């Protein structure tokens, strides 16, 4: 008989094992049995909690989005100005918790999978809309809407680009240099707006 209260812990263990397996493999080419072994549960139990591997992958993607959302809400709550809001969004995407080799590999694998999986594509659209909205919450107060929209698109592309570039390299991810480049882009955009005004 299953132990009461174990299901959330086992689900979390399976999601963590999925991120770890994808990170090590660099693709979604992992089996439920491999993931279950990493999580310390049987393959049958993994199937019981998630059904097919696709459902586990979607749950893992939702988990990553949820963690990112929680971290962003906390950072935005602490931001006192519009400029700080934009900097907070950038910083959270490159925090130690988010910008880890395993998580980066998982994001890249999900992007690839989204080319053929409508469910993954929907989740990535949610991510893109949230990122844009969070950036606009600060940028729209710093420059006209059209300029803010372009700046948000540029910052989002840089964030995604650094994740992709990082996934293709060995070694420890360098969040500091990524943040510096994106902040430089932001300052350039803000300066262009001031000059044009």
């Amino acid at each position: 008989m299953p132990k009461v209260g174990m299901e959330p812990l086992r689900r979390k263990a399976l999601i963590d094992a999925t991120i770890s397996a994808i990170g090590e493999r660099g693709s979604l080419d992992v089996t439920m049995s491999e993931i279950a072994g990493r999580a310390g549960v049987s393959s049958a139990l993994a199937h019981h909690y998630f059904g097919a591997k696709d459902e586990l992958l979607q749950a893992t993607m939702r988990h990553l989005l949820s963690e990112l959302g929680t971290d962003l809400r906390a950072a935005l709550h602490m931001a006192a100005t519009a400029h700080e809001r934009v900097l907070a969004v950038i910083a959270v995407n490159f925090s130690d918790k988010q910008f880890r080799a395993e998580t980066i590999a998982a994001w890249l694998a999900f992007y690839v999978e989204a080319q053929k999986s409508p469910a993954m594509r929907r989740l990535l659209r949610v991510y893109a809309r949230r990122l844009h909205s969070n950036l606009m919450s600060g940028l729209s107060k710093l420059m006209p809407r059209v300029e803010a929209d372009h700046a948000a698109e540029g910052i989002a592309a840089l964030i995604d680009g650094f994740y992709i570039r990082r996934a293709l390299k060995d070694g420890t991810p360098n969040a500091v240099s990524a943040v510096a480049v994106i902040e430089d882009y932001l300052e350039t955009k803000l300066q262009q707006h001031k000059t044009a005004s």
Side-chain angles (χ1 to χ4, degrees), residues 94-111:
F94 295 97
S95 68
D96 290 343
K97 185 176 173 186
Q98 297 296 329
F99 203 59
R100 297 177 299 132
E102 306 83 41
T103 305
I104 293 166
W107 276 103
L108 184 62
F110 288 133
Y111 265 96

Side-chain angles (χ1 to χ4, degrees), residues 5 28 38 57 63 72 100 122 128 145 178 185:
L28 299 183
R38 283 175 183 260
L57 294 174
H63 171 76
L72 278 167
R100 297 177 299 132
R122 276 192 300 276
R145 183 98 186 156
Y185 171 81

Side-chain angles (χ1 to χ4, degrees), residues 106-161:
W107 276 103
L108 184 62
F110 288 133
Y111 265 96
V112 171
E113 184 66 15
Q115 300 302 306
K116 56 188 175 192
S117 165
M120 287 293 191
R121 192 173 305 121
R122 276 192 300 276
L123 289 172
L124 285 172
R125 282 189 190 130
V126 167
Y127 155 74
R129 281 195 303 269
R130 284 182 187 164
L131 177 57
H132 187 81
S133 175
N134 285 323
L135 289 167
M136 287 297 286
S137 73
L139 288 169
S140 62
K141 293 172 179 65
L142 299 170
M143 58 185 75
R145 183 98 186 156
V146 172
E147 289 179 41
D149 196 53
H150 287 144
E153 190 68 26
I155 292 169
L158 286 167
I159 290 170
D160 291 345

